[in-house]
Amino acid sequence: MGKRLEYDEGQAAGRLRVGRPAFRWAVHTGVVPAPDAGPGVWSRAAVESMDVDAIRAGLPGYPLSGRGAADVLARALGTPNPVEGGAGPVVVSVFAVRAMVTAGYLTDLSGDPEQPALHPDQVAALATHPNLAHLLAQAAPLGPDQAAAHLGVRRADFDHLVRLGWIRSTEETRIRFGAARGGTVWVPLYRADHIDRVPLVHPEVDWPALRALGKGRRSPLARIGAGGVR
């Protein structure tokens, strides 16, 4: 069998005997050049010219898990997360860490967005951000009731916003109840900054009037369908 002529990310990392997270970080920082043989593919010549020592030096240890990164950020706020499995509210969640990745503040080195792996130095740099508390508050996961309260509308009105596609959940979380209460249910989660944009994107709605509606009053959003006002 002849020598391999092209290498994808995993093959290149294996050829160089470096971890995939270290290779991904080297790509992110420019230590590894952009793929020259197609999307995500390097030629043999490009791989053989890569500086292995520089790649290893970029991430000399192990990346932080999403939970580890969340704990670093929580400590930076002065309100540490409880130890895993311990009592007390989680101040910074893995959900918020993933939101920081999506926003470009962190680089995921795992290849699996559900289980992020982060460079410790990059997390430490984010921990010193002057607006860290605001960034994390905007990324905080809100359930439907919390999201409705954040927007200042009734839950029924918020459900119409979801029906219209004006607000979409970022992910779901599993909540376990006892068998008498139906066992396990999945609850959609929404980001505060996404919710805050809805009134700006839909100025046609009289938001002060909507927020002032009393219990039992029909929502004006009920008249709106996918094609506009009915």
Side-chain angles (χ1 to χ4, degrees):
M1 181 183 294
K3 289 185 177 181
R4 184 183 298 278
L5 299 179
E6 296 179 345
Y7 296 78
D8 63 20
E9 176 188 81
Q11 293 162 344
R15 170 72 173 78
L16 299 172
R17 297 185 180 180
V18 299
R20 287 195 188 190
F23 187 85
R24 289 175 180 135
W25 181 253
V27 172
H28 171 71
T29 58
V31 171
V32 164
D36 64 333
V41 180
W42 289 263
S43 66
R44 186 177 74 186
V47 172
E48 291 177 347
S49 69
M50 292 176 185
D51 187 336
V52 177
D53 290 336
I55 294 172
R56 289 175 177 154
L59 182 62
Y62 294 99
L64 282 175
S65 67
R67 174 58 195 257
D71 289 345
V72 170
L73 299 177
R75 288 195 297 271
L77 294 176
T79 50
N81 282 335
V83 297
E84 194 160 2
V90 173
V91 177
V92 179
S93 66
V94 177
F95 178 104
V97 170
R98 288 197 292 265
M100 294 298 96
V101 172
T102 301
Y105 291 103
L106 296 173
T107 303
D108 181 20
L109 306 176
S110 71
D112 178 4
E114 294 299 312
Q115 303 291 333
L118 298 312
H119 197 295
D121 291 349
Q122 194 179 42
V123 175
L126 177 59
T128 67
H129 195 290
N131 294 321
L132 178 63
H134 176 73
L135 294 176
L136 293 173
Q138 291 295 290
L142 302 176
D145 290 334
Q146 295 170 307
H150 182 84
L151 189 56
V153 300
R154 303 171 303 175
R155 171 62 189 272
D157 301 311
F158 185 80
D159 289 344
H160 281 298
L161 297 176
V162 174
R163 172 184 63 81
L164 293 167
W166 294 1
I167 181 69
R168 300 180 187 276
S169 63
T170 305
E171 60 180 84
E172 294 183 323
T173 188
R174 186 168 58 181
I175 304 295
R176 292 186 177 87
F177 296 104
R181 296 183 61 189
T184 299
V185 298
W186 288 92
V187 176
L189 297 176
Y190 303 87
R191 283 185 50 170
D193 55 345
H194 293 180
I195 296 167
D196 291 339
R197 287 199 290 267
V198 175
L200 300 176
V201 176
H202 294 281
E204 70 274 17
V205 174
D206 186 341
W207 292 98
L210 183 66
R211 289 170 172 142
L213 280 176
K215 184 178 180 180
R217 297 284 301 278
R218 185 170 187 263
S219 174
L221 299 175
R223 302 193 306 269
I224 304 177
V229 179
R230 295 183 203 152

